[in-house]
Amino acid sequence: MSTTATANLPVLYSYFRSSCSWRVRVALKLKKIDHEIRYINLLKNEQRSEEYLKISPFGFVPAFVDNRNGKTLIESVSIMEYLDETYPEFPLLPKDPQDRATVRALVQAVAMDIQPVTNLRVLRYLEEDKRSAWSKHWSEEGFKAIESLLVKSAKTFSVGDSLTMADIVLVPQVYNAVRFGVDMSVYPTVSRLYRELSELPEFHEAHPSRQGDCPPELR
Amino acid sequence: MSTTATANLPVLYSYFRSSCSWRVRVALKLKKIDHEIRYINLLKNEQRSEEYLKISPFGFVPAFVDNRNGKTLIESVSIMEYLDETYPEFPLLPKDPQDRATVRALVQAVAMDIQPVTNLRVLRYLEEDKRSAWSKHWSEEGFKAIESLLVKSAKTFSVGDSLTMADIVLVPQVYNAVRFGVDMSVYPTVSRLYRELSELPEFHEAHPSRQGDCPPELR
């Protein structure tokens, strides 16, 4: 666990390849919240160290420490909702309740229906030769559903013309799906959004390959 | 798919044993939102019928149709957030942003870290003799984490002295864990909350065994 202390900034505990960490990295950049990143190496099980479990009792990344009150927040969607409620710049949810519900449904579709079933801890629990087919299956089921919703809701972004949490969670999940060997061309709206969002500086800078804990051979 | 039309009421599409449907059943009762329930039999794959996929493109229950605007909402947590934003009676989130984040972290811990990994569609994808150990393992991991958070946050309810979404999602998940054979006595705060919440009429009436689509032998 790298703990280079700096000025009194909010702290994000992150792992370069964690899609949930990536979500919060983007949210912090969109909201222009200056912060320090501390790296937790999931492959070395640093998330299970006594020191880290005091920060996040769940032993997951990300965790976020708010420097305004010293409180620690956990679980990526909860952190994004908190950031949105307490840092008004660059709202991550639309104003209309119906649109907010569509954004949150898309967030759930990624954050509950795909990510938890295909993340590192679940894959490690499966026999090694079954992991790839498992990840592909659930990614394909999930993106099929997401595409069917995006066809109706997307304009410039996933829901209308403002960037929201739905866009934030989409990019890391597509990146993972491509790693799992999913053919994303059958989800044209998802693919178009992924391509366009990836070019935005906030997503670009939050990319795993641009993190301080990314091994040189993966940059 | 049972579709007995009644007056112009909001409609909940539900399956008696679906923990995600149960969440919304409780939320509707707490907020005293008069509604009609339509039953979708997951064992008969009614959620995959052409008719139902027009309502919920994901083919999941629950789905909620708001009679005020005819719009359909999907994904249980998104539906609860929507109900809370548009029906102010009986708020399901605290006012303080920090407490809201704790509630949402607990919701995520159930709704993302346990439920999606142990639900029917994932179990069906596993070999039959592996299902029980799988469900137990993820339930135990999840409740261990949840207990560690509840020890700090719980008073009368999961977060302080008001009933919130964190309580709503807890009860159905404990019910499932008991069905999977998890020994819940090792999570005393979870067990105490489950016992007390189960006695409230809103939880009692929303219980699977009290639903119109529950087979007589399970009542």
Side-chain angles (χ1 to χ4, degrees), chain A residues 96 98-99, chain B residues 64-73 82:
Chain A
D96 175 68
Q98 188 67 44
D99 290 341
Chain B
F64 177 78
V65 184
D66 188 336
N67 62 325
R68 298 170 298 182
N69 55 23
K71 297 284 175 72
T72 304
L73 289 292
Y82 175 82

Side-chain angles (χ1 to χ4, degrees), chain A residues 8-143:
Chain A
N8 182 28
L9 289 177
V11 176
L12 177 69
Y13 290 87
S14 164
Y15 176 60
F16 76 108
R17 224 172 211 173
S18 144
S19 61
C20 297
S21 300
W22 189 352
R23 295 172 190 162
V24 181
R25 294 199 298 260
V26 174
L28 289 169
K29 283 184 187 296
L30 288 170
K31 287 184 167 290
K32 303 195 196 304
I33 300 169
D34 199 14
H35 61 281
E36 177 193 346
I37 295 193
R38 294 188 190 164
Y39 303 116
I40 302 297
N41 190 328
L42 300 192
L43 293 181
K44 290 187 183 160
N45 269 322
E46 288 181 349
Q47 75 280 18
R48 293 272 159 210
S49 71
E50 216 180 298
E51 195 184 346
Y52 187 67
L53 286 172
K54 280 183 202 155
I55 294 159
S56 169
F58 291 7
F60 293 161
V61 286
F64 178 76
V65 184
D66 188 336
N67 61 325
R68 298 169 299 182
N69 55 22
K71 295 286 176 68
T72 303
L73 289 293
I74 55 171
E75 296 277 3
S76 61
V77 177
S78 176
I79 296 172
M80 286 194 291
E81 293 268 6
Y82 175 82
L83 293 177
D84 212 39
E85 288 180 351
T86 63
Y87 293 89
E89 184 173 357
F90 205 103
L92 302 176
L93 285 168
K95 284 208 174 116
D96 175 68
Q98 188 67 44
D99 290 341
R100 292 164 76 85
T102 306
V103 169
R104 287 191 176 115
L106 284 164
V107 168
Q108 265 193 263
V110 169
M112 302 192 189
D113 302 333
I114 307 180
Q115 199 282 332
V117 195
T118 59
N119 67 11
L120 190 59
R121 70 183 186 125
V122 171
L123 295 185
R124 278 178 169 176
Y125 197 70
L126 290 166
E127 288 158 51
E128 202 153 350
D129 62 335
K130 296 200 170 154
R131 291 178 190 172
S132 169
W134 174 274
S135 309
K136 262 188 87 172
H137 173 79
W138 296 112
S139 299
E140 286 168 357
E141 282 248 321
F143 279 116

Side-chain angles (χ1 to χ4, degrees), chain A residues 14-17 22 25 29 37 39 171 175 194 197-219:
Chain A
S14 164
Y15 176 60
F16 76 108
R17 224 172 211 173
W22 189 352
R25 294 199 298 260
K29 283 184 187 296
I37 295 193
Y39 303 116
V171 169
Y175 172 83
Y194 177 65
L197 289 164
S198 298
E199 285 172 15
L200 299 178
E202 292 84 358
F203 284 84
H204 193 75
E205 291 161 16
H207 192 278
S209 67
R210 270 161 210 95
Q211 301 309 300
D213 58 339
C214 179
E217 65 274 21
L218 296 175
R219 287 190 194 196

Side-chain angles (χ1 to χ4, degrees), chain A residues 178-210:
Chain A
V178 171
R179 279 179 58 215
F180 300 147
V182 175
D183 172 13
M184 294 303 296
S185 69
V186 295
Y187 318 109
T189 318
V190 173
S191 298
R192 192 261 299 169
L193 286 164
Y194 177 65
R195 207 171 45 240
E196 293 176 3
L197 289 164
S198 298
E199 285 172 15
L200 299 178
E202 292 84 358
F203 284 84
H204 193 75
E205 291 161 16
H207 192 278
S209 67
R210 270 161 210 95

Side-chain angles (χ1 to χ4, degrees), chain B residues 28-151:
Chain B
L28 289 168
K29 284 184 186 296
L30 288 169
K31 286 183 169 288
K32 302 195 197 304
I33 300 168
D34 198 15
H35 61 281
E36 177 193 347
I37 295 194
R38 294 188 190 165
Y39 304 116
I40 302 297
N41 190 328
L42 300 192
L43 293 180
K44 290 187 184 161
N45 269 322
E46 289 181 348
Q47 75 280 17
R48 294 271 160 209
S49 72
E50 216 179 302
E51 195 184 348
Y52 187 67
L53 287 172
K54 280 183 202 156
I55 293 158
S56 168
F58 291 8
F60 293 160
V61 286
F64 177 78
V65 184
D66 188 336
N67 62 325
R68 298 170 298 182
N69 55 23
K71 297 284 175 72
T72 304
L73 289 292
I74 55 171
E75 297 276 3
S76 61
V77 178
S78 176
I79 296 171
M80 287 195 291
E81 293 267 6
Y82 175 82
L83 293 176
D84 212 39
E85 288 181 351
T86 64
Y87 292 89
E89 185 174 356
F90 205 103
L92 302 176
L93 285 168
K95 286 211 174 115
D96 175 68
Q98 188 69 42
D99 290 340
R100 293 164 76 85
T102 306
V103 169
R104 287 192 175 114
L106 284 163
V107 169
Q108 265 194 264
V110 169
M112 301 191 190
D113 302 334
I114 307 181
Q115 200 282 334
V117 194
T118 59
N119 66 11
L120 190 60
R121 70 183 187 125
V122 170
L123 295 185
R124 278 178 168 178
Y125 196 69
L126 290 165
E127 289 158 50
E128 203 153 350
D129 63 335
K130 297 202 170 152
R131 292 178 189 171
S132 170
W134 173 274
S135 308
K136 262 189 85 171
H137 172 79
W138 297 112
S139 298
E140 286 167 358
E141 283 247 322
F143 280 114
K144 194 177 146 196
I146 289 166
E147 176 72 22
S148 71
L149 196 51
L150 285 175
V151 163

